[in-house]
Each structure stands twice: as C-alpha cells, then as structure tokens.
Amino acid sequence: MEDHDSISACASSPKTVPLSSTSTNCSKTSPKTLNATPSASTSPIESSTRQSDISLEEAIDQLSVADRKPELMFNALEAIFQRATEQDEEIGAGVPSVHVVFERARESARRGYRDVEALRAIKTMLEHMWWRQSEFLVIAARNLADGSRESGWRIPYGEAGILDFFLAVISTDNITHDLSLHALRLIGNSCADTDVNRERVVTQNGIPSLIKQLRDPLLVDFTIPVIYNISDDYEPAQEAAKINHLCPAVINLLTSDSLDSDRLLGYVCRLLDYAAEHPDTKPCPDHAVQTLLRAAFKENLDVEDFVSLADAARAHLRHDRFQRLFISQGLLGITLGLFLRSYSPQDPSNTSLSVSNLTILVRDPEEEEQLSAMRSNLIEALSDVSAIPQFAVRYPLNSAIMSSLLPWLSASQVQLQICSCVMLGNLARSDAVCRPMVRELDVHESLIEILQESSDVQLLHSTLGFLRNLALPSENKAVLGDADIIEAVSSLWSMDTVPQLQYGAASLTRQIINGSLINVQRLLVSLSPDTESPAHEKTYLSLFLSLFETSDSMPTKVEIARTIASIWRCINSSSQSITPQMLSETLRRLCLMHPNIGKPISLMVSQSQWPIVRSEGWFAMALMARSREGSAAVNDILHQIEVFGPLVETIKGRSRSIGGESSPAAIEDDEGMETESRSAQERDMRVKDRDNALVMISELLKNRGNEMSALRRGVFENLLGGRESPRSMLELMTRGPSPENEDEDEEEDEE
C-alpha cells in the first residue's frame, strides 16, 4: 500500500518622519512635523535684535523655531557654547573665536549655503563638551536635533562629522536619558531619505547601538522611528538590522508595556516586513508566533499592519522549532480566526469559526490583493504545520477545530476551501482517519463537487491530493466510484494548459482503480449509452489514453502507464470475485475497444530513469500475456526495437546492440564484472525482472505462438531456453508481421 501524501497549496510604506523632542507622530499617510517644545506659539525674535548678544535663556526660548530659521539655531548654539566655556575654559581650547565661527555660519545660512567648515568647528566644540562632561551638551544636542529636521542640513551634518559624533554618543553606556533622546532625534532626522548618511550609520556599525536602545522603555518612542528612517528602502541597513536581531527585539516590544501600539505599531510592522523575512530564529523567544498572531488580532488595525503581522508569523513558521511550538501552544484556533477576520472584521472575543453567517466586507482592490497574498501565506504555513505527526495528535478528526473546517469545503470563498482541503487532507494520512471521512462524514461529496464546478488551479490541486489520500483504503474505493469520481476527474485530463493538474488527475485515477475491479469497469463504461452515437465506442479509458498521446510531461505519462499496469494486476488478482463471463467481457472491452492499450506499458520497460517503474512494466506484460486478448497487445509492442532491446538485456543480463553485437556493458557482464555500487535490492529487482520477462515469453508463446512466423517463434524460444538466436535481431526487428515477411521466413527456415 502506498503512503498518504501531504497536501500543499505589495505594501506601501509610511514616509520618513521628522523627530521632535516631545512626541512621535506615526500616521502612515501624512506625518506631522512637530516642534521641539509642546507649544508652537513662541514668537520669532525681532530682526532688530543683535543676534550675538543673547542670553542662554533667550536662546532656549528660540529653540522652538530654530529649525525654521537657521540663523536662530546658530544664535542658540553660540549662547550655549559661550556659557559652557565660561564654566569650563577647556571646552574652548583650540577652537577659533566662537563668535567668528557662528557669524560665518549665520551668514552662509542667510545666503542659502551650508558652511561645512563652520559645522566642523561646532563638532570640535561638541567633542570638548563631551570630554569635559559639560551639562550644556544636552541643550546643544537638542538644538542641533531640531535643526536636523530641515532637510537641507542633513548632508552637511554628515560631512562635518556631527552625525558620527552622535553615533558614538549612543554607543556609550550610562549616558543620560535626555542626551540619548536628542542624539536619536538627530540621527533619525539626518538619515531620513538620505542614503549617504544611512551609509555612514551602517559603516560606523551604528545599527547594533540603535537596536540596543529598544531596551529602554523611555526611548522606544524615538528609537523605532529612527531605525525606520535609516532602513526604509535602504537594503544595507535592513540587512544590518536583521543580522543584529532586530526581529526578536521588536517581538519582545510587542509583548511588553513599553510599546504604545496606537502610535508606533505602524512602524513596528514596517520593520517586521523585512526583519522577519528570513529571521534568525535562535534568539527569537518561544512566544514569537503567539505574540505576532495576538497582535494581528487587535481591533482597529488597518490592512497593511494586519498583513505585516500575519506575514511575520508565517515567516517564523517556516522553521521546525516554531511549527512544534505552534502545536504545543494551541495556536490553530487564533490562526483560523485571523483567516476569517481577513474577510470580515470580527469581535476579537468571538472565537467561532463558522462560515454560515460570514458577511464579506467589500474592500479596495489593492487591499484585497494584499489580504489574498496573506491568506496564501497562511495556507502555506498551515500546510507545513499540519503535515507533521504531532498535529494529528493535538487536533484529531473529532476535535472541535477540525470539525469546524468541514463546512469550509463548501464555502463560496476559494481560499477558505483551499485552507480546509490542505489541513483536512494532511490529517487524512492514515486509513483510520480516511475511512470515517468517507463512510461517515461524506467529505468526498464536497470534494467531487469542487472537481465538477471549480476552475481555480490551486483549489483543484489541493482537492486532487485530498481525494488521493481518501482513495487509498480499499473500503473507500467503491464509495468514491459510486459518487461518480471517475466522471468528475476525467474533465481534468484534457486541461493541457495546466500540466500539474493533469498529473494530479492521472495519479488520482490510478489510486481509484488500484485493486478495485468495479472501478476498473467504471473506467470502461461508454461515454454515451446511445448505440448510434460515436461516443458509444469511446470509454473513459479512451479519454485517459488520449492524455498519454497528447501530454509532453514524462511524469504524467508514467502515471498513466502505471494506471494501465494496475488495471492488469486487478483483473488477474485472485482476491477479485470475477466470473469467467465477467472476465471475458472486461478483457474484450479493455483490449478490443482500446487497440493502443499496450503503448503506455512499452514506455515503462523502455525508459531507464525509474527502475521500479520498469519492473512494474515487465510484471504487467507478463499478466497481459496470460490472456488471448492481452497477448495480442504484448505481441504488438514487442515489434518495437525500444522494447525488444531491453527484453534481451533483461533476460541475458546484457545490453544488445541492434546488429547483435555486445555493448561494453554486456562485455562487463559476460566477464562477471559487476560494479560494487549495485545493491542487493537492485540485484533482486533484476532477478525478478528476468523471471517476469521469461513468464511473459512463455505465456506469449502459449497464446500466440501458433500465429507467429517460425523465425519469430524461434527467437522467443531461444530467449526462453537461454540460447543464442541464429538470426540478426536487426533483421527480425525491422520486419513487421506482414504475410509477405512470414512467407519469406518460412522459405528461409526450410532452406
């Protein structure tokens, strides 16, 4: 008995967001630029004010508008550095006149030019403040971070080394929260849509330090948008983030209280889009899939976030560890709930998996495309999970969840049907499950209806696989035949545009008739009961053999050939209750209505790719030769040189050339030189093949020997007796069984 088979079956991004010192706006459509202080009503300084003579307090008051007027940013910075230098003269050591530096910076800003040299001098002042642990460094960082919100300053910040300075700051342990916050703001703003600065972050190995900041609940609101700004549409940063375990860090955030889901979940989902694509699962927590699924089940999620979370869960489920955890943690229910929720938003507290009252929400075509792709990913994940042995133990056929999948087979939504086919089909991996599915639950009726009505390739593929599993137990075969499964599957034989379906249909046909005489007889039923119709002379087997002639797929041809071999095994089986009259009628319809019945068998013995298939072929030919009707087909195909050659090789243990001379392979065998790589199983197979070939010749001579020419009969007798034929095989094989040739052979024999 054969084994039961397992069944298998573009998001838009939010814009980069300017970071303020107070809050983060996570709207994915139009991020709002926020000021550095809660109130944006601070009035700009009058132009008559002497810019170099302002106090630190006045400079701080101007921070809220500094990003809109660059000269005000430099006013504030100058005041900050002057006050810092007054407290610690070492801060200004080696730096040119502070006033000259900032006057130069202001003048260039007024003219629309960013003076990088002036910024380098400012960067030197920042370094001195860092070394001297100046309390004013935080205020300076805040001021520069505000300035980074203006896109024109981003590249100059990078060229002047200010970005590198703050990358070094966040890589340092035990710095104050406020300094970390403004350093993050400056880094994130400087990298927004600016690849040259993103490259600096990656080159300076700043990604690990940024991911480390996710551990601080007070910095999460800033760190997530910063990482997003750096990695959005920039693959080197994405790769660095994946290597440095961004995915498990984000998943841990989803389980903690430090994530404000309403404002940050959108960015978390965008990070997961790439971080979870091929996750390194070793550092991922055991609850990763559970966390992602529960996050996707929250209310008021938009489609993009919903899809991102579900896809991230699927990415983890590609790994054996999370497949086992999926089963042990009992996550099937919530996953199927997500599946239903993708069609119609439901109350998270509603755990019903019923589709009877499912109200389908009409969505935008782009959103529906995203959801359809997500469902396909979930089906793939569930296919993987349901194929492992532990699944059937946790979710047996009589469990509530698996029972709820039965109505999905008749749902109007194709992907619900596919999901049910895949999971129930994988559960049908033993006779103990397949029998009640057919004989008690009538699952096959819904599946046959799908074959009759559906045109969806994926659904048909999963349905064929499911039915093939159900057809394995002998008790189910007659029930499937009674349900017109042969008629239903025959419609797929002609789908030459979808070769994989033709193969699946051929494989199912073989399984249906294997060991079932009644289904063999159904295959031989005329296509029309009207004796005046041309279709009356055609059978379902005629259509099946037509597929053999038209298909270009070798696997499909082999499946058809194996089906024909199964028919002959069934007819000759002692376990079949068949009367002589029934056998005679079956053989008549099989051979006389299908003169090409032997052609698929000739393929089996002439091919060398699958030895076991070749062995099936010799066995089938031996069975065919036992009857008058079948021996005629055997006699015909033995006129083919591609069949007769392998016959000689099988019996003699060597390969014969057409002219009768031994090939190199034959010489090796004549000298008794077998290669050591041939296993005992292969040797046993060759012995059985030889025995079957000899039985075939013996039966052929018994049933057709009197009708053969003396020459042809002699060749077979010599093969049977282990003697060399006196005639060239080339001469024999190039002569057909015509009366003229037979007369010539008789005359030559007399001579």
Side-chain angles (χ1 to χ4, degrees):
M1 177 171 291
E2 299 190 26
D3 294 334
H4 296 75
D5 291 339
S6 60
I7 314 299
S8 56
C10 184
S12 59
S13 299
K15 298 178 181 179
T16 50
V17 58
L19 305 177
S20 74
S21 62
T22 56
S23 62
T24 303
N25 188 324
C26 289
S27 169
K28 288 184 283 300
T29 54
S30 55
K32 180 181 178 182
T33 302
L34 303 179
N35 292 319
T37 57
S39 172
S41 60
T42 307
S43 300
I45 298 176
E46 297 295 332
S47 59
S48 60
T49 305
R50 184 166 180 251
Q51 296 172 344
S52 59
D53 296 334
I54 61 174
S55 66
L56 179 60
E57 290 73 16
E58 291 173 321
I60 293 175
D61 287 340
Q62 294 176 2
L63 291 180
S64 61
V65 292
D67 57 313
R68 286 177 288 172
K69 291 190 176 183
E71 60 269 23
L72 297 182
M73 176 180 73
F74 291 118
N75 286 349
L77 282 173
E78 183 178 3
I80 292 166
F81 285 126
Q82 285 179 339
R83 180 67 65 87
T85 303
E86 290 173 0
Q87 285 195 358
D88 187 344
E89 294 182 356
E90 292 295 326
I91 291 176
V95 180
S97 170
V98 172
H99 180 70
V100 172
V101 169
F102 285 104
E103 187 59 37
R104 175 179 170 180
R106 280 190 291 268
E107 182 62 26
S108 63
R110 282 192 291 267
R111 296 183 179 184
Y113 167 68
R114 272 63 175 174
D115 192 327
V116 175
E117 290 302 320
L119 290 175
R120 286 196 178 101
I122 293 173
K123 180 241 184 179
T124 301
M125 297 178 192
L126 292 172
E127 291 174 339
H128 290 181
M129 295 173 73
W130 170 259
W131 294 330
R132 304 299 295 177
Q133 300 182 5
S134 172
E135 60 183 305
F136 294 100
L137 179 58
V138 174
I139 306 174
R142 174 187 173 185
N143 189 63
L144 287 166
D146 287 343
S148 67
R149 296 167 64 194
E150 203 275 300
S151 60
W153 289 105
R154 293 169 185 170
I155 292 178
Y157 273 17
E159 293 176 346
I162 291 177
L163 174 60
D164 290 347
F165 171 79
F166 284 102
L167 285 171
V169 167
I170 64 163
S171 67
T172 305
D173 295 330
N174 301 321
I175 60 174
T176 65
H177 169 269
D178 288 343
L179 183 56
S180 295
L181 184 152
H182 297 304
L184 288 169
R185 290 179 55 225
L186 185 141
I187 294 168
N189 288 338
S190 297
C191 292
D193 299 318
T194 309
D195 285 355
V196 65
N197 283 347
R198 292 168 169 174
E199 182 181 2
R200 287 188 173 93
V201 173
V202 174
T203 303
Q204 296 294 327
N205 199 30
I207 297 295
S209 299
L210 291 171
I211 294 175
K212 184 179 177 181
Q213 304 304 313
L214 293 173
R215 302 173 188 172
D216 187 343
L218 299 178
L219 295 177
V220 167
D221 283 9
F222 294 89
T223 305
I224 290 176
V226 167
I227 297 174
Y228 171 79
N229 276 6
I230 295 171
S231 59
D232 180 41
D233 290 330
Y234 189 66
E235 291 188 6
Q238 294 177 3
E239 289 300 318
K242 285 193 285 187
I243 291 172
N244 288 282
H245 312 311
L246 173 62
C247 186
V250 170
I251 290 173
N252 284 326
L253 277 180
L254 289 171
T255 60
S256 68
D257 297 330
S258 59
L259 181 65
D260 185 340
S261 59
D262 292 338
R263 296 191 294 117
L264 291 177
L265 187 57
Y267 291 109
V268 167
C269 292
R270 300 297 76 73
L271 296 178
L272 285 171
D273 285 341
Y274 68 82
E277 186 176 355
H278 299 289
D280 180 1
T281 57
K282 290 183 180 179
C284 287
D286 286 350
H287 57 75
V289 174
Q290 184 179 40
T291 298
L292 292 165
L293 292 175
R294 294 193 183 282
F297 219 89
K298 291 182 179 179
E299 291 185 275
N300 302 320
L301 283 182
D302 64 18
V303 169
E304 192 174 15
D305 294 347
F306 179 76
V307 168
S308 295
L309 291 164
D311 285 349
R314 192 284 169 267
H316 284 75
L317 287 173
R318 289 190 178 97
H319 301 270
D320 293 344
R321 171 191 165 206
F322 285 106
Q323 290 174 9
R324 293 191 297 270
L325 287 169
F326 180 95
I327 296 171
S328 64
Q329 294 172 356
L331 301 181
L332 179 58
I334 189 173
T335 306
L336 296 177
L338 283 181
F339 213 94
L340 289 178
R341 198 177 185 197
S342 69
Y343 289 103
S344 176
Q346 298 177 343
D347 183 350
S349 62
N350 181 12
T351 59
S352 172
L353 299 177
S354 172
V355 295
S356 57
N357 297 317
L358 188 64
T359 303
I360 305 302
L361 181 65
V362 178
R363 298 184 184 273
D364 176 83
E366 184 176 345
E367 290 184 344
E368 182 54 41
E369 183 178 355
Q370 293 181 55
L371 289 169
S372 178
M374 180 218 73
R375 294 185 202 112
S376 295
N377 287 335
L378 281 182
I379 290 172
E380 183 182 355
L382 292 172
S383 173
D384 294 341
V385 171
S386 60
I388 62 179
Q390 296 93 323
F391 182 86
V393 176
R394 178 64 186 264
Y395 300 105
L397 179 60
N398 59 0
S399 63
I401 289 182
M402 299 311 293
S403 297
S404 68
L405 286 176
L406 294 172
W408 289 28
L409 291 172
S410 302
S412 57
Q413 291 72 38
V414 169
Q415 288 180 305
L416 286 176
Q417 292 178 290
I418 295 172
C419 181
S420 180
C421 268
V422 167
M423 299 198 67
L424 291 172
N426 280 339
L427 194 64
R429 304 284 288 278
S430 68
D431 290 359
V433 174
C434 291
R435 290 191 194 99
M437 278 189 171
V438 171
R439 305 180 72 85
E440 298 174 16
L441 300 176
D442 296 328
V443 173
H444 62 288
E445 294 182 358
S446 298
L447 299 175
I448 292 173
E449 184 178 351
I450 291 173
L451 294 185
Q452 294 169 333
E453 298 180 358
S454 179
S455 60
D456 185 87
V457 173
Q458 190 177 4
L459 176 57
L460 289 172
H461 176 76
S462 58
T463 301
L464 288 170
F466 193 177
L467 282 169
R468 184 183 183 280
N469 282 355
L470 293 180
L472 282 171
S474 57
E475 302 92 328
N476 287 354
K477 296 182 187 293
V479 180
L480 293 172
D482 290 340
D484 296 328
I485 192 172
I486 290 177
E487 180 181 356
V489 75
S490 67
S491 63
L492 303 184
W493 298 337
S494 59
M495 296 185 67
D496 51 3
T497 58
V498 193
Q500 65 268 35
L501 286 185
Q502 288 182 314
Y503 173 80
S507 181
L508 174 58
T509 304
R510 179 170 68 87
Q511 220 38 262
I512 293 168
I513 62 94
N514 190 23
S516 175
L517 180 61
I518 190 171
N519 284 343
V520 169
Q521 292 170 334
R522 288 187 173 106
L523 199 61
L524 298 175
V525 169
S526 295
L527 297 178
S528 172
D530 185 1
T531 57
E532 301 297 325
S533 171
H536 184 72
E537 299 301 320
K538 299 289 185 180
T539 66
Y540 288 107
L541 182 58
S542 303
L543 301 179
F544 196 53
L545 291 172
S546 295
L547 173 58
F548 182 85
E549 299 292 343
T550 58
S551 177
D552 295 326
S553 169
M554 186 63 170
T556 299
K557 285 179 173 290
V558 168
E559 277 300 299
I560 296 171
R562 296 183 71 195
T563 303
I564 304 304
S566 295
I567 291 174
W568 287 103
R569 283 201 306 272
C570 182
I571 291 174
N572 287 273
S573 173
S574 59
S575 63
Q576 300 294 330
S577 300
I578 183 170
T579 64
Q581 295 80 3
M582 185 186 301
L583 176 61
S584 177
E585 176 62 15
T586 301
L587 288 172
R588 185 191 69 81
R589 295 186 67 83
L590 177 62
C591 297
L592 297 185
M593 296 183 70
H594 309 93
N596 58 342
I597 189 68
K599 191 172 182 179
I601 303 298
S602 68
L603 172 69
M604 298 178 75
V605 298
S606 60
Q607 61 83 36
S608 58
Q609 187 174 357
W610 300 286
I612 191 171
V613 172
R614 187 171 61 244
S615 294
E616 283 187 48
W618 291 125
F619 182 56
M621 289 181 69
L623 295 175
M624 292 169 69
R626 293 175 64 179
S627 64
R628 284 279 299 171
E629 297 85 353
S631 61
V634 172
N635 194 32
D636 287 344
I637 63 177
L638 283 176
H639 280 88
Q640 303 172 25
I641 190 169
E642 58 268 22
V643 176
F644 194 84
L647 174 64
V648 174
E649 177 186 354
T650 300
I651 293 177
K652 295 291 187 178
R654 62 191 183 198
S655 177
R656 286 283 186 177
S657 67
I658 293 178
E661 297 179 357
S662 296
S663 69
I667 293 173
E668 285 187 358
D669 283 335
D670 287 342
E671 296 175 353
M673 297 176 59
E674 283 190 330
T675 58
E676 295 181 0
S677 61
R678 293 179 177 176
S679 65
Q681 183 178 4
E682 291 172 338
R683 289 194 297 271
D684 290 343
M685 186 179 295
R686 289 198 300 275
V687 171
K688 291 180 181 178
D689 290 351
R690 183 177 183 275
D691 291 343
N692 286 329
L694 291 173
V695 170
M696 176 197 68
I697 293 176
S698 176
E699 295 292 337
L700 182 62
L701 290 172
K702 183 188 304 181
N703 287 300
R704 295 288 171 178
N706 293 336
E707 302 172 8
M708 295 180 185
S709 68
L711 174 62
R712 183 173 180 80
R713 185 173 58 251
V715 169
F716 285 127
E717 289 173 345
N718 287 333
L719 283 173
L720 191 60
R723 299 184 297 271
E724 293 293 337
S725 175
R727 297 293 304 277
S728 167
M729 292 182 188
L730 174 62
E731 186 176 355
L732 173 66
M733 296 310 300
T734 54
R735 290 186 175 194
S738 64
E740 295 81 358
N741 287 341
E742 291 180 3
D743 292 340
E744 293 176 10
D745 291 341
E746 290 176 0
E747 292 174 2
E748 292 174 0
D749 288 342
E750 290 176 1
E751 295 176 2

